[in-house]
Amino acid sequence: MKEKDDMEMKAAGSSQASTPERDLLFRLMAEQVRDYALILLDAKGDIVSWNSGAQRITRYQADEVLGRHYSLLHPKEEVKSGAPQRELTVSGSLGSLELQGWRLRKDGSRFWASIALTVLKDDTGVILGYSLILHDNTERRASEEAMAKSRNMLERLFETAPDAVVVVDGGGVIRKVNQQAEVIFGYMREEMLGQRIELLIPKRFHKRHRQHLRNYFGDPRARKMGIGLELYGRHKNGAEIPVDIMLNPIAAQDATWVFAVIRDITLQKQGEAKILELNLALRNQLDQLAATNRELESFSYSVSHDLRAPLRHIIGFVDLLNAKGGANLDDKSRHYLNVISGAATRMGMLIDDLLAFSRMGRSDMMKGWVDLGLLVREIVADLQTDVRDRKIEWDVTALPVVLGDAAMLRQVLINLIGNAVKFTRGKEVARIAVGSLELKGETDIFVKDNGVGFDEAYANKLFGLFQRLHANEEFEGTGVGLAIVQRIVLRHGGRVWAEGTVDGGASFWFSLPKTLPPSV
C-alpha cells in the first residue's frame, strides 16, 4: 500500500500533490460512488487513481490505465485535434469545466459521458493535478433524442395538420395555432397569439361561447363541440365559416388547456345542399313517373277493356258470314274472312296480355311460402295435352320453397316453360330443363331448352314490351309474356336475364331474394 501511494504521488509531479490521509479519503469516497468514474490525474493528465465506477463504465482495470494519459478515453479524432489538452488548459484557467461528449471503452465502443473536470492546486496556486468525475449518460441521451424526435414529429404533425388547430388556456386566450388556422381564419399567427378566442367567433355568438367555455373547463373531456348545433367561425374579413370543432383537454403548466381541432365544412355544406336539391328533384321526378305509370296502366286497362267489345263483334259477324253465305263465297272472299278472323283473334290475345300486364303492376302481392317444384309439376302436366304428339324430354330437378306471391310466380313459370315448348317445336326431340342454384342471399331459377335460341346481341330487347325476335309466321306471340315475367320478378326484388345462341337453344334465368323487400 505504501509503495502504491508513493507511485501515485510521484506520478503527480510533486511530493505535496497529496497526503496519505487525503489520498485515503479520496479512495474511500471513490469506492462508495460506484455509478460514477472518479479519476485523479497528475499535472500532465496522467491517471494516478481509478475507482471501481471507472472500471465498470470503461471496462479498464486499474493496472491497465495507471500512469497512462487520460486521453486514452477520447475518440481518435478528438485526440488528433488536441481536445484532451484543451480541456486541461480550460479547467486550469477556470478552475473547473463541465462538458459532455463521446468517450471510449476498452473494447473501442463509445458511450456518452457527462464530465466534471476540476483543477487541484497547492496553496501557492501551483497545479498539482485534476479530479475527473465521469458518468455514462448513453441511455439518457438516447431517451432524450427519442423524445426530441417525438416532439419534432408532433410539431410537424401539428403544423401540417389538414385542419386548423388552436390551443386555448383556461382564460380563453389563444396560446398556439398551426398553419391551417392561418389559412382558414385569414390571420397571421402573430395576430392570433395572446388574443381571446372570441377573435375567431362571430360576435353574435360571443356571450354563448363564453358560457360554453366555462362549462367545458368545469368538466374537461374529449368531445365534439356544439352537438346538435351549427357552428361558425369568423374570418378576418368578417365572413362567417361553417365549422366542425373537436375539443380535447391537455395538461400544460399546472393548468388545463383545450386543444381545438377546427374543420372548415363549407364545401361539405355546399355538397349537402346540392344533394338535398338533387334528392328533391329526383323525388319530384319519381312522383311524376309514378303518376305517369298509373295513368298509362289506367289507360292501358281502359283501352284494352273497351277494345274487347268491338273485336267480339268483328269475330261474331265473320262467323255469321261464314255460316250464312260461306257456300256462296268464292275462295278469295273466304280468304279475306279468314284473315279478318285471324287478325281479330290475335288482337284479342294481345288485349288479354295487356290486361294481364296492367294487372301485374296494380295488384297487391300475397306473400307466402311457395313450392316451386309443385308449381312446375302442375304446369308440365297441363301442357302434356297440347304436346302429346311431340317428343319432349323433361329434366326437372328438385326446386326450393321460396318466399313470394304464388299466383305471380306461377305466371312466371307458365310463360318461361311455355316459351321453351313453343321455340323447340321444330326439334325432333325437344329437351327442356328446369332447375335452380342456391346463392348467398338469393335463389336463381332457370328454364333451358334446345330450341331456336336467339342472338345475344339482342338479349336486352327480350324483356321489353312488344319486343319480339321472331316473325309471327314462325312463332305466334304478342311480345308481352317476357315483359310480364320481368315485372313480376322486379316486384319480388329480383332480376331476370337470358343466355342463348342462334339455333343453339336458350336459357332464361330469374333470381328471388331470400328476404322480400319491405315495399312489396
Side-chain angles (χ1 to χ4, degrees), residues 27-39 49-62:
R27 287 195 185 88
L28 290 173
M29 289 175 59
E31 292 308 318
Q32 293 300 316
V33 188
R34 297 182 179 275
D35 288 337
Y36 289 82
L38 271 65
I39 305 167
S49 181
W50 189 261
N51 78 330
S52 59
Q55 178 180 319
R56 182 185 62 80
I57 293 172
T58 68
R59 299 169 191 167
Y60 280 107
Q61 299 294 323

Side-chain angles (χ1 to χ4, degrees), residues 430-479:
R431 295 181 177 85
I432 301 173
V434 184
S436 65
L437 295 175
E438 290 294 333
L439 303 176
K440 184 179 180 181
E442 71 177 32
T443 301
D444 292 350
I445 299 97
F446 63 84
V447 177
K448 299 181 180 181
D449 64 65
N450 64 336
V452 296
F454 60 89
D455 187 343
E456 282 202 2
Y458 303 103
N460 60 324
K461 292 185 175 182
L462 288 172
F463 298 96
L465 196 60
F466 305 129
Q467 296 292 325
R468 304 193 68 218
L469 300 184
H470 301 280
N472 199 61
E473 291 77 13
E474 295 180 277
F475 298 99
E476 71 282 0
T478 60

Side-chain angles (χ1 to χ4, degrees), residues 17 43 45 113 124 148 160 193 210 223 260 324 367 380 394 473 482:
T124 63
T160 60
L193 297 178
R210 283 192 286 269
R223 64 175 177 84
K324 187 174 182 179
K367 291 185 283 186
V380 171
W394 296 93
E473 291 77 13
L482 290 179

Side-chain angles (χ1 to χ4, degrees), residues 144-214:
E144 290 175 348
E145 286 183 344
M147 290 178 65
K149 287 181 180 179
S150 178
R151 284 194 298 270
N152 290 339
M153 182 180 295
L154 290 173
E155 186 65 26
R156 286 196 299 273
L157 289 173
F158 179 87
E159 279 299 321
T160 60
D163 298 321
V165 182
V166 178
V167 179
V168 179
D169 65 18
V173 176
I174 300 172
R175 296 292 190 170
K176 190 174 180 66
V177 297
N178 70 344
Q179 294 175 1
Q180 194 61 19
E182 296 178 300
V183 172
I184 290 178
F185 295 106
Y187 290 97
M188 300 297 291
R189 69 183 62 203
E190 293 78 10
E191 297 177 279
M192 292 184 277
L193 297 178
Q195 299 295 320
R196 291 192 58 81
I197 189 62
E198 283 79 13
L199 175 72
L200 309 180
I201 299 172
K203 189 173 182 179
R204 59 195 175 102
F205 296 121
H206 283 190
K207 184 176 180 181
R208 186 175 72 181
H209 181 267
R210 283 192 286 269
Q211 183 59 49
H212 287 171
L213 189 68
R214 287 191 292 269

Side-chain angles (χ1 to χ4, degrees), residues 240-386:
E240 292 191 2
I241 311 157
V243 292
D244 271 345
I245 304 175
M246 188 68 192
L247 304 176
N248 282 279
I250 55 173
Q253 302 177 0
D254 299 325
T256 299
W257 292 358
V258 61
F259 188 93
V261 179
I262 304 168
R263 175 168 296 178
D264 181 353
I265 58 171
T266 301
L267 294 178
Q268 179 182 325
K269 287 286 186 182
Q270 292 172 349
E272 289 174 354
K274 187 64 177 178
I275 290 172
L276 188 62
E277 179 184 343
L278 292 174
N279 282 339
L280 183 60
L282 180 59
R283 190 176 297 112
N284 290 335
Q285 291 177 2
L286 288 174
D287 291 342
Q288 292 173 8
L289 182 61
T292 302
N293 283 338
R294 286 192 297 270
E295 291 174 0
L296 286 174
E297 287 176 357
S298 177
F299 174 77
S300 174
Y301 181 82
S302 177
V303 169
S304 300
H305 188 273
D306 292 344
L307 285 175
R308 299 180 93 179
L311 280 175
R312 284 197 299 270
H313 289 148
I314 292 171
I315 294 171
F317 280 113
V318 168
D319 291 342
L320 284 173
L321 283 172
N322 277 323
K324 187 174 182 179
N328 299 321
L329 295 174
D330 57 29
D331 291 341
K332 184 172 287 190
S333 297
R334 282 194 293 271
H335 172 70
Y336 290 158
L337 288 175
N338 288 335
V339 170
I340 294 171
S341 179
T345 301
R346 286 194 299 274
M347 183 169 284
M349 294 172 57
L350 179 58
I351 290 170
D352 290 340
D353 286 347
L354 281 174
L355 287 172
F357 184 78
S358 177
R359 281 195 299 270
M360 288 305 168
R362 291 182 291 107
S363 59
D364 293 331
M365 286 184 62
M366 305 297 292
K367 291 185 283 186
W369 293 105
V370 182
D371 186 343
L372 294 182
L374 178 60
L375 289 183
V376 170
R377 287 192 296 273
E378 291 175 351
I379 293 167
V380 171
D382 291 341
L383 288 171
Q384 290 297 344
T385 303
D386 298 331

